[in-house]
Amino acid sequence: MTTPFDAPDWRGLSKPELDAGLNNSAAVAGSADLFASWERRSAEFRAAQPGHLDLRYGPRERNRVDFFRAASYAPTLLFIHGGYWQMRAKEAFSMFAGGPMTHGINVALIGYTLAPEATLEGIVAEIHAGIDFLAAQLPELGGDPERIAVSGWSAGGHLTAMAISHPKVRGGVGISGIYDLEPIRHSYLNDKLGLDEAMSHRHSPIMQMAGAMKPLALTVGSAELPLLRKQTADFAAHRARYGLPVSYEEIRAANHFTIMDEMLAPTGRITLMIRQLFERI
């Protein structure tokens, strides 16, 4: 749980340097093509996999959940997509349900309103509303409402950390997440997010005193941008400081996009983290 040796203090960076230090798409060659392949393969997965698609949990267009059942009365992982709270959609991530499902874990994917249509405060509230809905529907869908865990990638990692306080959530796995919003507030990303200092502090998991006494596995790729690696390492240290259940792991050679291969594969490292989490809860 140590800070990566090559991670700078973002406060000492110029704005162009900070912007570049947070821009994963620019940092990973071919990222647009890679994401397009996720969309294509996820569409194929949705077509081949019987599921309950676009279950509405709230009044807004993106307030929908997809549910893929692996086994009757099985535990359920709720996956939260990334995109810096202002891009992407749940549909592009359907294929990543495949890894956990091979271990008998149901997978739900949640959509949420993107910034600037919604504030970060509103997005966090939508995720909690979606968990309320999912827990109530699980008996009918074929899941165990007492065994729900959350996971998310990038901005979804942040929303995972914000969701584990929900009383129906038993634990989580954060993948390449953002846990301190202050660098975000000072970067190009805030053009759409519109964070002020109070909202940034209120929704930065690393600024919360203590937290939910629930297991949280945190992982990041060793080939990711140093500021992103630092976010995960610092948040793991924060939880450890307060005696909260946490594990931290860097996945060797993985960048911000290829790290998701470790959830796609049945034997992938993130798939195993999810399985091990459910074995604990």
Side-chain angles (χ1 to χ4, degrees):
M1 296 182 203
T2 57
T3 298
F5 71 92
D6 56 346
D9 184 336
W10 68 269
R11 295 168 187 83
L13 301 177
S14 67
K15 188 171 185 298
E17 289 171 333
L18 177 59
D19 288 349
L22 295 169
N23 193 331
N24 293 296
S25 296
V28 177
S31 60
D33 291 338
L34 182 57
F35 188 76
S37 77
W38 289 5
E39 292 180 310
R40 183 183 67 255
R41 294 164 68 189
S42 289
E44 293 169 354
F45 179 91
R46 290 162 68 85
Q49 190 70 229
H52 299 270
L53 304 181
D54 290 323
L55 304 175
R56 182 171 287 282
Y57 71 83
R60 306 191 76 171
E61 176 58 29
R62 284 174 169 256
N63 292 168
R64 301 172 187 269
V65 170
D66 295 337
F67 180 82
F68 298 103
R69 188 172 71 178
S72 182
Y73 211 64
T76 298
L77 179 76
L78 179 67
F79 184 81
I80 309 170
H81 74 81
Y84 274 138
W85 309 274
Q86 56 195 264
M87 299 179 290
R88 317 300 189 203
K90 63 178 173 59
E91 288 80 7
F93 295 81
S94 301
M95 70 179 194
F96 297 110
M101 289 178 71
T102 62
H103 296 275
I105 298 166
N106 300 326
V107 178
L109 297 99
I110 187 169
Y112 53 89
T113 307
L114 302 178
E117 274 191 71
T119 65
L120 191 58
E121 194 119 41
I123 292 169
V124 170
E126 287 186 357
I127 299 299
H128 279 253
I131 296 169
D132 288 338
F133 169 84
L134 181 64
Q137 295 296 313
L138 276 176
E140 183 178 339
L141 293 171
D144 181 352
E146 300 304 318
R147 288 191 293 166
I148 300 172
V150 291
S151 182
W153 167 78
S154 196
H158 164 266
L159 295 171
T160 292
M162 298 300 292
I164 60 169
S165 63
H166 191 287
K168 287 294 186 179
V169 171
R170 303 289 298 278
V173 178
I175 307 164
S176 303
I178 301 293
Y179 307 106
D180 179 359
L181 296 173
E182 278 297 278
I184 304 299
R185 185 170 73 88
H186 288 85
S187 78
Y188 75 103
L189 295 163
N190 207 39
D191 293 347
K192 289 186 177 180
L193 283 171
L195 293 170
D196 60 21
E197 185 175 8
M199 189 182 295
S200 171
H201 285 210
R202 192 161 57 247
H203 293 291
S204 289
I206 203 167
M207 295 186 186
Q208 308 311 309
M209 299 296 289
M213 186 61 71
K214 301 173 185 179
L216 180 62
L218 298 171
T219 186
V220 68
S222 70
E224 297 207 42
L225 287 165
L227 289 179
L228 271 294
R229 293 168 57 213
K230 178 173 168 58
Q231 286 262 348
T232 298
D234 286 354
F235 184 47
H238 171 82
R239 283 187 62 86
R241 190 177 309 120
Y242 284 98
L244 303 174
V246 66
S247 64
Y248 169 79
E249 182 174 332
E250 286 198 1
I251 294 179
R252 181 175 168 78
N255 64 42
H256 194 66
F257 295 89
T258 60
I259 193 171
M260 287 301 294
D261 293 344
E262 300 299 321
M263 184 174 173
L264 181 63
T267 58
R269 187 69 195 105
I270 295 174
T271 301
L272 296 181
M273 288 179 191
I274 292 166
R275 190 192 73 188
Q276 290 163 358
L277 174 66
F278 279 111
E279 289 171 351
R280 293 181 62 187
I281 61 176

